[in-house]
Amino acid sequence: MSSFLFCAVLIARLMFISPFLVEGQSMDPTLHDRELFLIDRQIQGNHPLKRGDIVVFSFDDQYYYVKRVVGLPGETIKIKADQVMIKNQEGGYDVLAEPYLMAQHFNYGDERFFLVPSGEYLVFGDNRFHSKDSRTFVYPYVRLDQIYGRYIYP
């Protein structure tokens, strides 16, 4: 009976895992062009998205993006000079630590603010020099229902 249970759990889990292939350089140095990885399609309920998660999403179900969650629903995000900042409860801003950028320094230029709506996310590529992301999208936010899955392996 335990073998059956193990197989049933494994099959159920595999139903929520999908392979995905990176196309392009927008996630360098974390993920490279033509790199294959797995995504977990369970992103609601007990597995909510958090800042720093890498997600796959699409606006039209034809072209898929791979980006990192930077802003969460309800947050105010400010980009200025070479920093991403998150508004804190006191009204000031805390600099977002981004160790995955591997000490790349990107100048964001003019100060910009993003007021992330409820149920939506702000996403940036790790290769800020070569990434089409929330900074360049016509509508900068990604709805939860547009997110196909979250990176899990390797």
Side-chain angles (χ1 to χ4, degrees):
M1 185 68 157
S2 64
S3 297
F4 173 76
L5 182 60
F6 174 77
C7 289
V9 169
L10 181 62
I11 290 169
R13 185 66 183 148
L14 289 176
M15 290 174 45
F16 297 108
I17 294 176
S18 298
F20 196 82
L21 182 68
V22 176
E23 291 184 18
Q25 302 170 353
S26 73
M27 286 302 292
D28 280 343
T30 307
L31 298 171
H32 305 286
D33 186 31
R34 312 299 300 162
E35 183 173 342
L36 185 66
F37 64 95
L38 297 177
I39 58 173
D40 182 351
R41 295 177 42 206
Q42 287 184 291
I43 54 174
Q44 297 183 22
N46 295 333
H47 306 281
L49 291 175
K50 60 187 183 306
R51 188 182 337 281
D53 283 347
I54 295 172
V55 295
V56 174
F57 63 94
S58 178
F59 296 118
D60 60 9
D61 292 328
Q62 293 185 17
Y63 182 83
Y64 290 86
Y65 295 86
V66 180
K67 305 295 176 201
R68 188 177 299 273
V69 173
V70 174
L72 300 173
E75 290 185 327
T76 300
I77 306 294
K78 176 169 76 169
I79 57 174
K80 179 181 178 182
D82 64 348
Q83 296 179 324
V84 175
M85 295 169 267
I86 304 162
K87 190 171 189 177
N88 59 37
Q89 292 181 343
E90 292 79 37
Y93 286 86
D94 299 320
V95 175
L96 176 61
E98 298 184 283
Y100 42 82
L101 295 182
M102 307 279 185
Q104 292 181 78
H105 292 288
F106 180 81
N107 187 342
Y108 293 101
D110 295 337
E111 181 175 271
R112 292 175 57 195
F113 291 87
F114 296 92
L115 305 172
V116 185
S118 177
E120 300 186 18
Y121 298 85
L122 189 73
V123 296
F124 290 174
D126 285 0
N127 185 353
R128 305 281 161 88
F129 293 106
H130 300 286
S131 180
K132 292 180 182 174
D133 53 35
S134 288
R135 297 168 297 143
T136 60
F137 297 153
V138 172
Y139 182 74
Y141 311 107
V142 179
R143 294 188 323 261
L144 183 59
D145 67 350
Q146 294 171 319
I147 298 174
Y148 183 66
R150 165 193 10 233
Y151 168 94
I152 56 171
Y153 182 81

